Amino acid sequence: KLSIYDLNGRLVTVLVDDMFSPGYYTALWNGTDGGSYQVSSGIYLVVLDAEGRNIQTRKLVLLK
């Protein structure tokens, strides 16, 4: 599961929620929330979870 959160910890959107075989994958975020509304510029957190474990968290800067 690949999710984006704002700095207040609120879920903005889920980019990927599926099972994949091992390998390299790409996911693109168009700067919208779960309701397809544009979010404001700022810092967001991208969180990768696998089987309920937080695998990796990265900071993302959205500039418009």
Side-chain angles (χ1 to χ4, degrees), residues 14-55:
V14 176
L15 294 178
V16 177
D17 190 6
D18 204 353
M19 299 288 285
F20 291 95
S21 331
Y24 292 93
Y25 297 92
T26 302
L28 298 176
W29 180 43
N30 59 2
T32 59
D33 62 9
S36 297
Y37 295 102
Q38 287 288 325
V39 297
S40 59
S41 295
I43 299 173
Y44 294 88
L45 300 174
V46 180
V47 179
L48 176 64
D49 291 311
E51 298 178 0
R53 298 177 311 167
N54 184 329
I55 302 297

mmCIF file of all heavy atoms in Angstrom, residues 14-55:
data_model
loop_
_atom_site.group_PDB
_atom_site.id
_atom_site.type_symbol
_atom_site.label_atom_id
_atom_site.label_comp_id
_atom_site.label_asym_id
_atom_site.label_seq_id
_atom_site.Cartn_x
_atom_site.Cartn_y
_atom_site.Cartn_z
ATOM 1 N N VAL A 14 -4.623 7.347 -1.331
ATOM 2 C CA VAL A 14 -3.921 6.066 -1.457
ATOM 3 C C VAL A 14 -3.618 5.887 -2.936
ATOM 4 O O VAL A 14 -4.526 5.829 -3.763
ATOM 5 C CB VAL A 14 -4.779 4.896 -0.924
ATOM 6 C CG1 VAL A 14 -4.075 3.577 -1.164
ATOM 7 C CG2 VAL A 14 -5.088 5.089 0.553
ATOM 8 N N LEU A 15 -2.334 5.823 -3.268
ATOM 9 C CA LEU A 15 -1.932 5.681 -4.667
ATOM 10 C C LEU A 15 -2.049 4.241 -5.144
ATOM 11 O O LEU A 15 -2.510 3.982 -6.245
ATOM 12 C CB LEU A 15 -0.492 6.162 -4.862
ATOM 13 C CG LEU A 15 -0.232 7.641 -4.650
ATOM 14 C CD1 LEU A 15 1.244 7.940 -4.845
ATOM 15 C CD2 LEU A 15 -1.070 8.481 -5.572
ATOM 16 N N VAL A 16 -1.605 3.307 -4.320
ATOM 17 C CA VAL A 16 -1.606 1.895 -4.704
ATOM 18 C C VAL A 16 -2.057 1.074 -3.499
ATOM 19 O O VAL A 16 -1.559 1.276 -2.392
ATOM 20 C CB VAL A 16 -0.195 1.437 -5.139
ATOM 21 C CG1 VAL A 16 -0.194 -0.048 -5.465
ATOM 22 C CG2 VAL A 16 0.309 2.244 -6.308
ATOM 23 N N ASP A 17 -3.003 0.174 -3.722
ATOM 24 C CA ASP A 17 -3.434 -0.757 -2.676
ATOM 25 C C ASP A 17 -3.662 -2.111 -3.334
ATOM 26 O O ASP A 17 -4.790 -2.493 -3.633
ATOM 27 C CB ASP A 17 -4.703 -0.263 -1.993
ATOM 28 C CG ASP A 17 -5.045 -1.076 -0.750
ATOM 29 O OD1 ASP A 17 -4.235 -1.938 -0.365
ATOM 30 O OD2 ASP A 17 -6.113 -0.850 -0.178
ATOM 31 N N ASP A 18 -2.553 -2.810 -3.609
ATOM 32 C CA ASP A 18 -2.621 -4.051 -4.368
ATOM 33 C C ASP A 18 -1.407 -4.905 -4.031
ATOM 34 O O ASP A 18 -0.460 -4.438 -3.403
ATOM 35 C CB ASP A 18 -2.642 -3.728 -5.864
ATOM 36 C CG ASP A 18 -3.272 -4.817 -6.696
ATOM 37 O OD1 ASP A 18 -3.585 -5.885 -6.154
ATOM 38 O OD2 ASP A 18 -3.442 -4.583 -7.907
ATOM 39 N N MET A 19 -1.435 -6.145 -4.448
ATOM 40 C CA MET A 19 -0.311 -7.065 -4.269
ATOM 41 C C MET A 19 0.496 -7.116 -5.573
ATOM 42 O O MET A 19 -0.092 -7.169 -6.661
ATOM 43 C CB MET A 19 -0.816 -8.462 -3.933
ATOM 44 C CG MET A 19 -1.618 -8.532 -2.657
ATOM 45 S SD MET A 19 -0.616 -8.350 -1.199
ATOM 46 C CE MET A 19 0.163 -9.929 -1.129
ATOM 47 N N PHE A 20 1.828 -7.076 -5.442
ATOM 48 C CA PHE A 20 2.717 -7.137 -6.595
ATOM 49 C C PHE A 20 3.793 -8.182 -6.352
ATOM 50 O O PHE A 20 4.154 -8.457 -5.217
ATOM 51 C CB PHE A 20 3.404 -5.782 -6.822
ATOM 52 C CG PHE A 20 2.482 -4.694 -7.281
ATOM 53 C CD1 PHE A 20 1.919 -3.814 -6.386
ATOM 54 C CD2 PHE A 20 2.199 -4.553 -8.629
ATOM 55 C CE1 PHE A 20 1.077 -2.810 -6.805
ATOM 56 C CE2 PHE A 20 1.355 -3.545 -9.059
ATOM 57 C CZ PHE A 20 0.793 -2.675 -8.152
ATOM 58 N N SER A 21 4.312 -8.740 -7.430
ATOM 59 C CA SER A 21 5.491 -9.606 -7.325
ATOM 60 C C SER A 21 6.700 -8.730 -7.044
ATOM 61 O O SER A 21 6.680 -7.538 -7.343
ATOM 62 C CB SER A 21 5.746 -10.346 -8.630
ATOM 63 O OG SER A 21 4.614 -10.585 -9.350
ATOM 64 N N PRO A 22 7.762 -9.316 -6.506
ATOM 65 C CA PRO A 22 8.979 -8.518 -6.292
ATOM 66 C C PRO A 22 9.467 -7.902 -7.600
ATOM 67 O O PRO A 22 9.373 -8.512 -8.660
ATOM 68 C CB PRO A 22 9.983 -9.558 -5.778
ATOM 69 C CG PRO A 22 9.141 -10.635 -5.185
ATOM 70 C CD PRO A 22 7.895 -10.665 -6.023
ATOM 71 N N GLY A 23 9.949 -6.680 -7.503
ATOM 72 C CA GLY A 23 10.461 -5.985 -8.677
ATOM 73 C C GLY A 23 10.436 -4.489 -8.467
ATOM 74 O O GLY A 23 10.201 -4.003 -7.372
ATOM 75 N N TYR A 24 10.652 -3.737 -9.521
ATOM 76 C CA TYR A 24 10.656 -2.276 -9.489
ATOM 77 C C TYR A 24 9.372 -1.760 -10.113
ATOM 78 O O TYR A 24 8.966 -2.224 -11.187
ATOM 79 C CB TYR A 24 11.864 -1.722 -10.255
ATOM 80 C CG TYR A 24 13.176 -2.034 -9.578
ATOM 81 C CD1 TYR A 24 13.903 -3.168 -9.928
ATOM 82 C CD2 TYR A 24 13.679 -1.202 -8.587
ATOM 83 C CE1 TYR A 24 15.105 -3.465 -9.304
ATOM 84 C CE2 TYR A 24 14.872 -1.497 -7.957
ATOM 85 C CZ TYR A 24 15.579 -2.620 -8.317
ATOM 86 O OH TYR A 24 16.753 -2.907 -7.692
ATOM 87 N N TYR A 25 8.757 -0.795 -9.448
ATOM 88 C CA TYR A 25 7.491 -0.230 -9.919
ATOM 89 C C TYR A 25 7.525 1.284 -9.777
ATOM 90 O O TYR A 25 8.293 1.830 -8.989
ATOM 91 C CB TYR A 25 6.311 -0.797 -9.120
ATOM 92 C CG TYR A 25 6.165 -2.287 -9.288
ATOM 93 C CD1 TYR A 25 6.770 -3.167 -8.403
ATOM 94 C CD2 TYR A 25 5.446 -2.803 -10.351
ATOM 95 C CE1 TYR A 25 6.654 -4.537 -8.568
ATOM 96 C CE2 TYR A 25 5.314 -4.175 -10.526
ATOM 97 C CZ TYR A 25 5.922 -5.028 -9.628
ATOM 98 O OH TYR A 25 5.800 -6.378 -9.807
ATOM 99 N N THR A 26 6.659 1.957 -10.520
ATOM 100 C CA THR A 26 6.553 3.408 -10.474
ATOM 101 C C THR A 26 5.105 3.791 -10.201
ATOM 102 O O THR A 26 4.190 3.198 -10.766
ATOM 103 C CB THR A 26 6.986 4.016 -11.824
ATOM 104 O OG1 THR A 26 8.319 3.615 -12.107
ATOM 105 C CG2 THR A 26 6.905 5.523 -11.788
ATOM 106 N N ALA A 27 4.927 4.775 -9.338
ATOM 107 C CA ALA A 27 3.590 5.310 -9.073
ATOM 108 C C ALA A 27 3.668 6.827 -9.223
ATOM 109 O O ALA A 27 4.609 7.462 -8.735
ATOM 110 C CB ALA A 27 3.127 4.939 -7.672
ATOM 111 N N LEU A 28 2.704 7.408 -9.894
ATOM 112 C CA LEU A 28 2.666 8.857 -10.096
ATOM 113 C C LEU A 28 1.506 9.449 -9.318
ATOM 114 O O LEU A 28 0.415 8.878 -9.271
ATOM 115 C CB LEU A 28 2.495 9.171 -11.586
ATOM 116 C CG LEU A 28 3.610 8.702 -12.505
ATOM 117 C CD1 LEU A 28 3.248 8.999 -13.953
ATOM 118 C CD2 LEU A 28 4.923 9.349 -12.138
ATOM 119 N N TRP A 29 1.747 10.615 -8.721
ATOM 120 C CA TRP A 29 0.708 11.351 -7.999
ATOM 121 C C TRP A 29 0.502 12.668 -8.720
ATOM 122 O O TRP A 29 1.440 13.422 -8.954
ATOM 123 C CB TRP A 29 1.125 11.579 -6.554
ATOM 124 C CG TRP A 29 0.132 12.332 -5.743
ATOM 125 C CD1 TRP A 29 -1.223 12.168 -5.723
ATOM 126 C CD2 TRP A 29 0.407 13.369 -4.806
ATOM 127 N NE1 TRP A 29 -1.802 13.022 -4.834
ATOM 128 C CE2 TRP A 29 -0.821 13.783 -4.254
ATOM 129 C CE3 TRP A 29 1.563 14.000 -4.374
ATOM 130 C CZ2 TRP A 29 -0.916 14.780 -3.293
ATOM 131 C CZ3 TRP A 29 1.464 14.984 -3.416
ATOM 132 C CH2 TRP A 29 0.233 15.371 -2.887
ATOM 133 N N ASN A 30 -0.747 12.973 -9.060
ATOM 134 C CA ASN A 30 -1.047 14.201 -9.804
ATOM 135 C C ASN A 30 -1.406 15.381 -8.904
ATOM 136 O O ASN A 30 -1.920 16.390 -9.379
ATOM 137 C CB ASN A 30 -2.155 13.954 -10.833
ATOM 138 C CG ASN A 30 -3.441 13.476 -10.185
ATOM 139 O OD1 ASN A 30 -3.518 13.356 -8.977
ATOM 140 N ND2 ASN A 30 -4.438 13.197 -11.001
ATOM 141 N N GLY A 31 -1.165 15.271 -7.593
ATOM 142 C CA GLY A 31 -1.401 16.390 -6.681
ATOM 143 C C GLY A 31 -2.851 16.540 -6.263
ATOM 144 O O GLY A 31 -3.262 17.632 -5.886
ATOM 145 N N THR A 32 -3.624 15.458 -6.326
ATOM 146 C CA THR A 32 -5.025 15.517 -5.901
ATOM 147 C C THR A 32 -5.240 14.620 -4.690
ATOM 148 O O THR A 32 -4.464 13.710 -4.424
ATOM 149 C CB THR A 32 -5.976 15.073 -7.030
ATOM 150 O OG1 THR A 32 -5.665 13.741 -7.408
ATOM 151 C CG2 THR A 32 -5.866 15.994 -8.230
ATOM 152 N N ASP A 33 -6.334 14.891 -3.973
ATOM 153 C CA ASP A 33 -6.681 14.060 -2.829
ATOM 154 C C ASP A 33 -7.598 12.932 -3.283
ATOM 155 O O ASP A 33 -7.810 12.736 -4.481
ATOM 156 C CB ASP A 33 -7.322 14.896 -1.721
ATOM 157 C CG ASP A 33 -8.630 15.550 -2.133
ATOM 158 O OD1 ASP A 33 -9.150 15.236 -3.216
ATOM 159 O OD2 ASP A 33 -9.140 16.367 -1.349
ATOM 160 N N GLY A 34 -8.157 12.193 -2.348
ATOM 161 C CA GLY A 34 -9.026 11.071 -2.666
ATOM 162 C C GLY A 34 -10.293 11.460 -3.402
ATOM 163 O O GLY A 34 -10.897 10.652 -4.104
ATOM 164 N N GLY A 35 -10.723 12.717 -3.281
ATOM 165 C CA GLY A 35 -11.917 13.204 -3.970
ATOM 166 C C GLY A 35 -11.601 13.916 -5.274
ATOM 167 O O GLY A 35 -12.442 14.638 -5.803
ATOM 168 N N SER A 36 -10.396 13.772 -5.782
ATOM 169 C CA SER A 36 -9.923 14.383 -7.040
ATOM 170 C C SER A 36 -9.842 15.905 -6.982
ATOM 171 O O SER A 36 -9.918 16.572 -8.007
ATOM 172 C CB SER A 36 -10.803 13.948 -8.212
ATOM 173 O OG SER A 36 -10.717 12.556 -8.388
ATOM 174 N N TYR A 37 -9.706 16.477 -5.775
ATOM 175 C CA TYR A 37 -9.502 17.921 -5.622
ATOM 176 C C TYR A 37 -8.014 18.207 -5.502
ATOM 177 O O TYR A 37 -7.277 17.457 -4.856
ATOM 178 C CB TYR A 37 -10.220 18.456 -4.381
ATOM 179 C CG TYR A 37 -11.709 18.341 -4.456
ATOM 180 C CD1 TYR A 37 -12.387 17.338 -3.775
ATOM 181 C CD2 TYR A 37 -12.451 19.227 -5.238
ATOM 182 C CE1 TYR A 37 -13.761 17.226 -3.842
ATOM 183 C CE2 TYR A 37 -13.832 19.130 -5.317
ATOM 184 C CZ TYR A 37 -14.475 18.122 -4.621
ATOM 185 O OH TYR A 37 -15.833 18.011 -4.705
ATOM 186 N N GLN A 38 -7.557 19.293 -6.114
ATOM 187 C CA GLN A 38 -6.154 19.687 -6.027
ATOM 188 C C GLN A 38 -5.801 20.038 -4.578
ATOM 189 O O GLN A 38 -6.558 20.719 -3.907
ATOM 190 C CB GLN A 38 -5.889 20.906 -6.914
ATOM 191 C CG GLN A 38 -5.885 20.596 -8.394
ATOM 192 C CD GLN A 38 -4.657 19.808 -8.811
ATOM 193 O OE1 GLN A 38 -3.568 19.998 -8.287
ATOM 194 N NE2 GLN A 38 -4.849 18.906 -9.749
ATOM 195 N N VAL A 39 -4.661 19.554 -4.119
ATOM 196 C CA VAL A 39 -4.189 19.914 -2.783
ATOM 197 C C VAL A 39 -3.225 21.080 -2.918
ATOM 198 O O VAL A 39 -2.713 21.360 -4.005
ATOM 199 C CB VAL A 39 -3.517 18.710 -2.083
ATOM 200 C CG1 VAL A 39 -4.515 17.589 -1.864
ATOM 201 C CG2 VAL A 39 -2.320 18.214 -2.850
ATOM 202 N N SER A 40 -2.978 21.765 -1.821
ATOM 203 C CA SER A 40 -2.115 22.936 -1.871
ATOM 204 C C SER A 40 -0.646 22.535 -1.904
ATOM 205 O O SER A 40 -0.274 21.413 -1.528
ATOM 206 C CB SER A 40 -2.383 23.836 -0.663
ATOM 207 O OG SER A 40 -2.147 23.124 0.529
ATOM 208 N N SER A 41 0.185 23.451 -2.334
ATOM 209 C CA SER A 41 1.628 23.229 -2.330
ATOM 210 C C SER A 41 2.089 23.033 -0.898
ATOM 211 O O SER A 41 1.528 23.609 0.033
ATOM 212 C CB SER A 41 2.356 24.433 -2.922
ATOM 213 O OG SER A 41 2.022 24.588 -4.276
ATOM 214 N N GLY A 42 3.103 22.226 -0.716
ATOM 215 C CA GLY A 42 3.617 22.005 0.625
ATOM 216 C C GLY A 42 4.363 20.695 0.723
ATOM 217 O O GLY A 42 4.714 20.070 -0.274
ATOM 218 N N ILE A 43 4.581 20.274 1.965
ATOM 219 C CA ILE A 43 5.324 19.052 2.237
ATOM 220 C C ILE A 43 4.338 17.948 2.607
ATOM 221 O O ILE A 43 3.428 18.150 3.404
ATOM 222 C CB ILE A 43 6.334 19.279 3.372
ATOM 223 C CG1 ILE A 43 7.339 20.359 2.962
ATOM 224 C CG2 ILE A 43 7.054 17.983 3.726
ATOM 225 C CD1 ILE A 43 8.267 20.781 4.064
ATOM 226 N N TYR A 44 4.548 16.786 2.017
ATOM 227 C CA TYR A 44 3.703 15.619 2.257
ATOM 228 C C TYR A 44 4.599 14.433 2.561
ATOM 229 O O TYR A 44 5.792 14.448 2.261
ATOM 230 C CB TYR A 44 2.830 15.332 1.035
ATOM 231 C CG TYR A 44 1.816 16.419 0.788
ATOM 232 C CD1 TYR A 44 2.139 17.529 0.012
ATOM 233 C CD2 TYR A 44 0.551 16.362 1.344
ATOM 234 C CE1 TYR A 44 1.225 18.542 -0.191
ATOM 235 C CE2 TYR A 44 -0.374 17.367 1.140
ATOM 236 C CZ TYR A 44 -0.026 18.453 0.376
ATOM 237 O OH TYR A 44 -0.932 19.458 0.182
ATOM 238 N N LEU A 45 4.025 13.413 3.163
ATOM 239 C CA LEU A 45 4.755 12.189 3.471
ATOM 240 C C LEU A 45 4.213 11.057 2.616
ATOM 241 O O LEU A 45 3.005 10.857 2.540
ATOM 242 C CB LEU A 45 4.614 11.831 4.949
ATOM 243 C CG LEU A 45 5.141 12.871 5.924
ATOM 244 C CD1 LEU A 45 4.819 12.466 7.347
ATOM 245 C CD2 LEU A 45 6.629 13.077 5.749
ATOM 246 N N VAL A 46 5.105 10.320 1.978
ATOM 247 C CA VAL A 46 4.746 9.148 1.189
ATOM 248 C C VAL A 46 5.124 7.935 2.036
ATOM 249 O O VAL A 46 6.271 7.800 2.453
ATOM 250 C CB VAL A 46 5.499 9.120 -0.151
ATOM 251 C CG1 VAL A 46 5.103 7.903 -0.953
ATOM 252 C CG2 VAL A 46 5.238 10.388 -0.928
ATOM 253 N N VAL A 47 4.137 7.067 2.310
ATOM 254 C CA VAL A 47 4.347 5.929 3.203
ATOM 255 C C VAL A 47 4.089 4.630 2.447
ATOM 256 O O VAL A 47 3.036 4.459 1.834
ATOM 257 C CB VAL A 47 3.423 6.016 4.436
ATOM 258 C CG1 VAL A 47 3.622 4.821 5.343
ATOM 259 C CG2 VAL A 47 3.661 7.313 5.188
ATOM 260 N N LEU A 48 5.065 3.733 2.500
ATOM 261 C CA LEU A 48 4.942 2.412 1.902
ATOM 262 C C LEU A 48 4.717 1.405 3.024
ATOM 263 O O LEU A 48 5.550 1.275 3.925
ATOM 264 C CB LEU A 48 6.205 2.053 1.117
ATOM 265 C CG LEU A 48 6.245 0.657 0.512
ATOM 266 C CD1 LEU A 48 5.142 0.493 -0.534
ATOM 267 C CD2 LEU A 48 7.603 0.385 -0.094
ATOM 268 N N ASP A 49 3.568 0.712 2.991
ATOM 269 C CA ASP A 49 3.233 -0.327 3.966
ATOM 270 C C ASP A 49 3.119 -1.652 3.237
ATOM 271 O O ASP A 49 2.540 -1.721 2.156
ATOM 272 C CB ASP A 49 1.886 -0.046 4.645
ATOM 273 C CG ASP A 49 1.929 1.156 5.556
ATOM 274 O OD1 ASP A 49 2.850 1.233 6.370
ATOM 275 O OD2 ASP A 49 1.027 2.008 5.442
ATOM 276 N N ALA A 50 3.650 -2.698 3.854
ATOM 277 C CA ALA A 50 3.507 -4.048 3.297
ATOM 278 C C ALA A 50 3.101 -4.974 4.426
ATOM 279 O O ALA A 50 3.811 -5.075 5.438
ATOM 280 C CB ALA A 50 4.810 -4.508 2.659
ATOM 281 N N GLU A 51 1.961 -5.623 4.273
ATOM 282 C CA GLU A 51 1.433 -6.545 5.272
ATOM 283 C C GLU A 51 1.334 -5.894 6.645
ATOM 284 O O GLU A 51 1.671 -6.489 7.662
ATOM 285 C CB GLU A 51 2.277 -7.813 5.322
ATOM 286 C CG GLU A 51 2.270 -8.586 4.022
ATOM 287 C CD GLU A 51 3.148 -9.816 4.058
ATOM 288 O OE1 GLU A 51 3.790 -10.086 5.099
ATOM 289 O OE2 GLU A 51 3.199 -10.507 3.040
ATOM 290 N N GLY A 52 0.884 -4.631 6.681
ATOM 291 C CA GLY A 52 0.698 -3.928 7.946
ATOM 292 C C GLY A 52 1.963 -3.375 8.573
ATOM 293 O O GLY A 52 1.912 -2.805 9.652
ATOM 294 N N ARG A 53 3.097 -3.523 7.934
ATOM 295 C CA ARG A 53 4.362 -2.992 8.450
ATOM 296 C C ARG A 53 4.766 -1.767 7.650
ATOM 297 O O ARG A 53 4.723 -1.789 6.426
ATOM 298 C CB ARG A 53 5.477 -4.028 8.357
ATOM 299 C CG ARG A 53 5.215 -5.275 9.167
ATOM 300 C CD ARG A 53 6.319 -6.263 8.973
ATOM 301 N NE ARG A 53 6.564 -6.406 7.529
ATOM 302 C CZ ARG A 53 7.616 -7.002 7.020
ATOM 303 N NH1 ARG A 53 8.529 -7.504 7.796
ATOM 304 N NH2 ARG A 53 7.764 -7.109 5.717
ATOM 305 N N ASN A 54 5.165 -0.720 8.356
ATOM 306 C CA ASN A 54 5.659 0.485 7.698
ATOM 307 C C ASN A 54 7.061 0.180 7.178
ATOM 308 O O ASN A 54 8.001 0.062 7.940
ATOM 309 C CB ASN A 54 5.686 1.650 8.686
ATOM 310 C CG ASN A 54 6.099 2.941 8.039
ATOM 311 O OD1 ASN A 54 6.878 2.952 7.103
ATOM 312 N ND2 ASN A 54 5.591 4.030 8.538
ATOM 313 N N ILE A 55 7.191 0.062 5.864
ATOM 314 C CA ILE A 55 8.470 -0.285 5.249
ATOM 315 C C ILE A 55 9.343 0.945 5.056
ATOM 316 O O ILE A 55 10.517 0.940 5.353
ATOM 317 C CB ILE A 55 8.245 -0.989 3.889
ATOM 318 C CG1 ILE A 55 7.404 -2.243 4.072
ATOM 319 C CG2 ILE A 55 9.555 -1.302 3.208
ATOM 320 C CD1 ILE A 55 8.040 -3.305 4.916
#
